[in-house]
Amino acid sequence: MSLFEKTSDGIGINDSSFHEKHMIEKYISMINEQGIDFLPITYGVDPSPDFGYFDLADRYWRTSLCIYMAGIVRCFWESGVGFTEPWLFNVRHSFELKLKGLKLFSVWLEAVNQNIDTSGYVSSIEQLRRNFSNVHSLSSLYNDFSDSIKIAINNWSNEFSDEPPSLNEFFLNHQNKTILDELDEADPSSFSFRYPSIKNGQTDEIQKLGWKHDPNQLFPQSGLPKRAGYFFDHIKTVNSLHGLNTELTRIVNLSNSIWDYIGEMQRYI
């Protein structure tokens, strides 16, 4: 059975499912006011030094906000449960993609230092998955990028400019680095928010639903719970995650501006 159908009145929506009906009722006024985009769509990313990771990370971040907004206006029939995991998973995955994109950018920047003709339009990378794509620890990815960008900036080619970009501009401030580490500790392997269970040795244990409150089970900076079953102030958490995303986006924009600058320099060398 179709979810959407074009009718003489505009659009028909099948809301026979209880779960779907609950969401459709919340969105129907927006649909009636804005309509539905029936244009075809596609997926994919453009070749770039970050290998498209930045674009996809931004899409996951915006998706996380859509899920969060739907949750707080109670578009899910459950009270709180129903949007927490997909919201936090999309946030976390966005940060993971940003960090991997930054590492790829730093590797490209070092390659340009060695060969000024190295193109930024990267559409294939050998051994990408073997090198780091199976690494999910946010803290490890950030540390790996930090080490790599230090090498690239310290080896900055004088053919581009006499002064390299400021190395400190590539690093998170203390507050946002703490938030990143807390998110990493809450979900060190990217499994906590996308599966109902986590591994404990050789055993899978369900992450039991609960509504317990214990300040000692909440991370101080991000407000995230250390494990399932403890309720938390989602306003504090979304604000802290938004702050971290803003800081990561600043570093991404800096990287993109360097790519644009080097691209212009390559045209005239």
Side-chain angles (χ1 to χ4, degrees), residues 49 105 108 120-121 252-267:
F105 166 80
W108 168 79
Y121 292 93
V252 165
N253 290 339
L254 173 61
S255 302
N256 283 332
S257 67
I258 292 173
W259 178 35
D260 291 339
Y261 172 76
I262 291 178
E264 287 297 315
M265 292 293 295
Q266 288 175 331
R267 295 183 184 181

Side-chain angles (χ1 to χ4, degrees), residues 55-65 87 89-91 93-94 97:
D55 280 346
L56 197 56
D58 181 61
R59 296 173 199 174
Y60 269 99
W61 170 255
R62 285 179 285 149
T63 300
S64 77
L65 291 184
W87 161 45
F89 170 76
N90 278 272
V91 170
H93 193 57
S94 173
L97 291 175

Side-chain angles (χ1 to χ4, degrees), residues 2 4 13 42 65 73-74 97 107 131 167-168 176 184 197 210 230 242 267:
S2 300
F4 298 111
I13 305 176
T42 185
L65 291 184
V73 297
R74 301 180 180 177
L97 291 175
V107 170
N131 288 338
L167 183 58
N168 289 334
N176 285 303
D184 191 49
S197 63
Y230 292 89
H242 180 266
R267 295 183 184 181

Side-chain angles (χ1 to χ4, degrees), residues 84-246:
T84 308
E85 293 92 348
W87 161 45
L88 290 174
F89 170 76
N90 278 272
V91 170
R92 191 203 184 285
H93 193 57
S94 173
F95 294 165
E96 181 176 327
L97 291 175
K98 276 188 170 72
L99 292 170
K100 289 181 175 180
L102 286 169
K103 171 59 187 296
L104 288 170
F105 166 80
S106 66
V107 170
W108 168 79
L109 185 57
E110 175 58 13
V112 173
N113 288 330
Q114 305 301 319
N115 180 1
I116 198 170
D117 295 323
T118 301
S119 173
Y121 292 93
V122 182
S123 59
S124 63
I125 298 177
E126 294 183 8
Q127 306 298 331
L128 172 65
R129 301 185 186 282
R130 178 178 296 179
N131 288 338
F132 75 89
S133 67
N134 290 325
V135 177
H136 298 289
S137 168
L138 299 179
S139 296
S140 295
L141 289 169
Y142 177 77
N143 292 335
D144 193 12
F145 159 68
S146 298
D147 292 339
S148 184
I149 196 65
K150 287 178 184 176
I151 295 173
I153 296 301
N154 288 335
N155 292 335
W156 180 262
S157 174
N158 290 332
E159 294 185 77
F160 298 135
S161 65
D162 293 335
E163 293 293 331
S166 171
L167 183 58
N168 289 334
E169 292 297 311
F170 287 95
F171 300 142
L172 294 172
N173 60 33
H174 177 73
Q175 178 181 2
N176 285 303
K177 178 58 167 61
T178 300
I179 294 170
L180 183 76
D181 290 339
E182 289 181 354
L183 178 56
D184 191 49
E185 188 175 342
D187 186 11
S189 58
S190 82
F191 284 89
S192 297
F193 306 129
R194 60 172 169 162
Y195 291 105
S197 63
I198 55 176
K199 285 191 177 296
N200 184 4
Q202 297 299 314
T203 304
D204 285 283
E205 294 184 353
I206 191 170
Q207 301 188 88
K208 293 177 64 175
L209 177 64
W211 295 100
K212 302 182 289 294
H213 175 61
D214 183 351
N216 293 322
Q217 292 299 321
L218 304 180
F219 289 106
Q221 193 67 55
S222 65
L224 282 162
K226 296 180 180 180
R227 55 177 178 269
Y230 292 89
F231 64 81
F232 61 101
D233 180 356
H234 62 87
I235 300 294
K236 176 178 180 178
T237 297
V238 74
N239 283 339
S240 67
L241 296 174
H242 180 266
L244 173 56
N245 180 70
T246 301

